[in-house]
Amino acid sequence: TSDTRPALRVVGADEQAPTTDRFGRPMIHVRKGELPRMCEQAIAALTTAPDLYTREGSLVHVAHATAEEAAPAIQAGAPRIYPVTPPGLTERLSHVAAWQRSDRPDDPPPMVVGAVLARRVWPALRPLAGIVQAPTLRPDGSLITAAGYDPSTAMLYAPSETWPEQPDEPSHDDARQALADLLDAFVDFPWETTAGPSCAVAALLTVLARPAVLGAVPAFVFDANSPASGKTLVADTIATIATGREAGRHSYPQDPKGSDAEISKALTAYAMAGTQIVCFDNLSPDNVFGGPAIESVLTARDTASFRILGKSEVVTLPWRTVVLATGNNVEVSRDCERRALVPRFLARWETADARPLSSFQHQDRAGRLVQWARSQRGHLVTCALVLLRAYHLAGRPSQGLRWASFEEWTELVPSAIVWAGGASPLAARPAESGRVSPERAALMVVLRDWPRLDPEGNGVTIKAVLALLYPELRHGEQQPPDGFDELRGALEDLAPIRNGRTPDPVRLSGAFRRTRQVAISGRAIEAGEKARTWRVAVVT
């Protein structure tokens, strides 16, 4: 039989459209028992609120961080995203509508405020993906130059200064000159290879054109052989050009234990605030750069999931933040090797003051590069947009560059640099430069030497291998040379020494399971024919 029940209605008893007050605001009549109608009218009125947005199930607004609110990577004065509180929503509802109870002015009822906040979905309100502070590129190659909300990208353009007019149709020659000017900003750093300055330019382009990349972007880890080489300065220069402020810094945990939870907490805060750049400064030599928290956001295409501290709740937020990091003789995790560019400095002086002035191409910038970059922001940002826009107008011709998980970024940022005559930033990937993570280096030794203990290739247990490599010795007795010192060192890198004698077999088994079938130079660890055995197999 057909359903003849009446449709659900949310209008009030009087049925007529709300009138307006003398200021043109809609009048919302407060009546008991009409909560749905009042909520619908409240949300309709909120569409005129100039500073209200939605962000993955929350109502938010944008304001400038105060000195008291400033946190690592969020500097005072920077625009950031805040959740709307009940008092804040009450004030906004009072601005956008005239509330009446029995023909007398009234305030928005708390029940309405709470119900509107609890909706979690407001189709009529504007979604907010992030904030930019300089003119930027859209995915279709057009430019965002008008301050305010951009509907096509869901980005809020909050200009940090007055910008020059951008060229309409830059040419290939314009792009070459623009790239030359951008590279010149980073020319006085002691780069190990030509990929270094290209990486600095790529990081700047990534921050400025983040709305144009509909996908993940890598981390930029500036490594150095010694302190006082300028690695933090290069991060500050990039941030100053892109945002007008130096890079807010977040110290990287020294102790690996619990560091992932600490990093996850920080990343959650930056995602909620809509931070453009986060810089993990002075990476610890005792703790490799990586871990699940960082690795997950680096391959996040549009959104990332975060666990709220102290709760079982997981929230999904837009992720538009670019991750920078600095450190001396940095080591990255195996999974972060394919998610980061690691350009390196080779400084030949002990302190910054010891660097001879004659080694600078631009001696007038020595010691004041950030101030110079701030004074040249208009020109340098224009150069960045000229380079990207010229490449787009040329049809984005392929430069033969590939990077899995970062296809969209590679097709725009590195390809534009190479098209304009620059070195490829992708040469700074750890695998390209010959740098590998400690785990990968240890695995390479295991793959080389394990077959010597398992010549038939059927598999051998970890317990048997440890018994051979770490035999019981009488007091004072020395183990004779056996050619397995490198293998012992590799196993100890993969698993800590247990009871002062051997690597922990449980941890070692976990390392093998984690790296199972990971192909390196045509070989991989695989399970043996019998239970709990491991062998090295040739893979093609």
Side-chain angles (χ1 to χ4, degrees):
T1 59
S2 61
D3 190 346
T4 58
R5 290 174 297 179
L8 178 66
R9 310 184 70 179
V10 296
V11 296
D14 50 8
E15 295 288 336
Q16 70 267 22
T19 59
T20 59
D21 69 355
R22 61 192 181 93
F23 301 108
R25 298 178 302 172
M27 297 184 67
I28 300 178
H29 297 276
V30 179
R31 296 191 182 101
K32 189 175 182 179
E34 297 185 12
L35 179 62
R37 186 262 308 166
M38 291 186 288
C39 288
E40 292 295 336
Q41 292 178 348
I43 293 172
L46 285 172
T47 59
T48 63
D51 64 340
L52 187 66
Y53 309 93
T54 68
R55 188 172 169 85
E56 299 299 328
S58 297
L59 290 177
V60 298
H61 68 108
V62 174
H64 293 277
T66 65
E68 293 75 17
E69 295 170 322
I74 303 175
Q75 293 195 321
R80 61 169 295 179
I81 299 169
Y82 295 87
V84 173
T85 62
L89 183 58
T90 300
E91 181 186 13
R92 285 170 175 80
L93 286 172
S94 298
H95 277 296
V96 299
W99 296 80
Q100 294 282 324
R101 186 191 298 267
S102 301
D103 297 327
R104 293 193 306 273
D106 200 359
D107 295 322
M111 184 65 74
V112 172
V113 173
V116 170
L117 282 175
R119 280 284 181 100
R120 298 190 65 82
V121 177
W122 307 269
L125 302 184
R126 300 170 296 179
L128 182 62
I131 307 169
V132 292
Q133 300 174 67
T136 189
L137 201 70
R138 296 187 181 97
D140 65 0
S142 61
L143 294 178
I144 300 174
T145 57
Y149 182 76
D150 183 63
S152 65
T153 60
M155 299 294 288
L156 178 66
Y157 173 28
S160 51
E161 62 180 70
T162 302
W163 297 97
E165 186 174 349
Q166 303 300 314
D168 288 332
E169 296 186 0
S171 65
H172 197 177
D173 287 340
D174 293 332
R176 289 180 180 275
Q177 183 58 56
L179 177 61
D181 288 357
L182 291 170
L183 291 171
D184 183 70
F186 303 100
V187 71
D188 280 321
F189 292 99
W191 304 104
E192 183 179 35
T193 69
T194 56
S198 285
C199 281
V201 171
L204 174 61
L205 297 179
T206 303
V207 178
L208 288 172
R210 186 64 184 92
V213 180
L214 299 178
V217 301
F220 298 85
V221 183
F222 296 99
D223 181 33
N225 64 321
S226 67
S229 54
K231 57 192 180 298
T232 301
L233 179 60
V234 74
D236 282 341
T237 303
I238 292 167
T240 297
I241 297 171
T243 70
R245 299 172 182 83
E246 297 179 13
R249 311 198 217 314
H250 192 107
S251 297
Y252 201 74
Q254 298 287 319
D255 187 354
K257 185 177 180 180
S259 65
D260 193 66
E262 183 178 339
I263 293 300
S264 178
K265 175 184 173 183
L267 294 174
T268 302
Y270 301 140
M272 294 177 71
T275 306
Q276 281 189 269
I277 300 174
V278 56
C279 180
F280 291 102
D281 199 34
N282 289 325
L283 299 182
S284 169
D286 299 321
N287 191 7
V288 298
F289 179 73
I294 285 179
E295 290 157 8
S296 65
V297 299
L298 291 179
T299 48
R301 294 187 55 82
D302 299 303
T303 61
S305 296
F306 304 90
R307 184 175 295 277
I308 301 299
L309 186 66
K311 300 180 180 180
S312 59
E313 180 184 358
V314 175
V315 297
T316 299
L317 295 169
W319 180 257
R320 295 292 188 276
T321 303
V322 179
V323 176
L324 309 182
T326 70
N328 298 318
N329 297 316
V330 170
E331 293 181 346
V332 298
S333 68
R334 180 174 63 87
D335 285 337
C336 212
E337 282 181 349
R338 68 179 187 87
R339 293 172 165 92
L341 297 174
V342 191
R344 182 168 169 83
F345 295 161
L346 279 180
R348 301 305 184 190
W349 51 89
E350 188 172 350
T351 66
D353 292 338
R355 180 178 180 179
L357 196 60
S358 60
S359 67
F360 288 87
Q361 288 194 31
H362 300 286
Q363 296 183 10
D364 59 313
R365 301 180 196 169
R368 55 182 308 274
L369 181 61
V370 170
Q371 293 89 328
W372 173 85
R374 186 175 288 112
S375 70
Q376 298 296 312
R377 277 193 78 202
H379 173 67
L380 295 172
V381 169
T382 297
C383 286
L385 296 177
V386 163
L387 171 58
L388 294 172
R389 179 121 173 95
Y391 177 63
H392 174 81
L393 292 175
R396 301 195 182 194
S398 173
Q399 304 301 303
L401 303 179
R402 295 181 59 194
W403 193 357
S405 300
F406 302 103
E407 292 86 353
E408 293 89 347
W409 176 83
T410 302
E411 291 169 2
L412 178 62
V413 174
S415 294
I417 291 172
V418 172
W419 176 74
S424 172
L426 303 192
R429 290 179 292 183
E432 297 287 337
S433 60
R435 299 180 58 181
V436 296
S437 66
E439 182 179 74
R440 186 179 180 89
L443 184 59
M444 292 169 67
V445 175
V446 171
L447 293 174
R448 184 194 68 192
D449 291 352
W450 194 270
R452 295 168 57 193
L453 301 173
D454 179 30
E456 299 298 325
N458 296 324
V460 61
T461 65
I462 289 175
K463 182 178 179 180
V465 168
L466 295 180
L468 289 171
L469 296 179
Y470 299 86
E472 292 282 355
L473 300 174
R474 294 192 182 99
H475 181 69
E477 185 179 358
Q478 298 293 321
Q479 182 174 336
D482 59 3
F484 286 112
D485 284 347
E486 282 191 71
L487 179 58
R488 274 186 282 269
L491 296 179
E492 290 165 14
D493 285 341
L494 292 172
I497 292 289
R498 184 192 65 171
N499 298 327
R501 282 202 66 248
T502 70
D504 185 339
V506 176
R507 293 283 296 275
L508 193 55
S509 177
F512 280 13
R513 288 195 301 272
R514 188 169 62 250
T515 57
R516 178 173 171 265
Q517 295 184 326
V518 174
I520 299 178
S521 301
R523 292 184 172 188
I525 285 282
E526 289 189 353
E529 295 180 358
K530 296 182 179 180
R532 299 184 180 180
T533 62
W534 296 94
R535 68 187 185 95
V536 172
V538 176
V539 296
T540 57

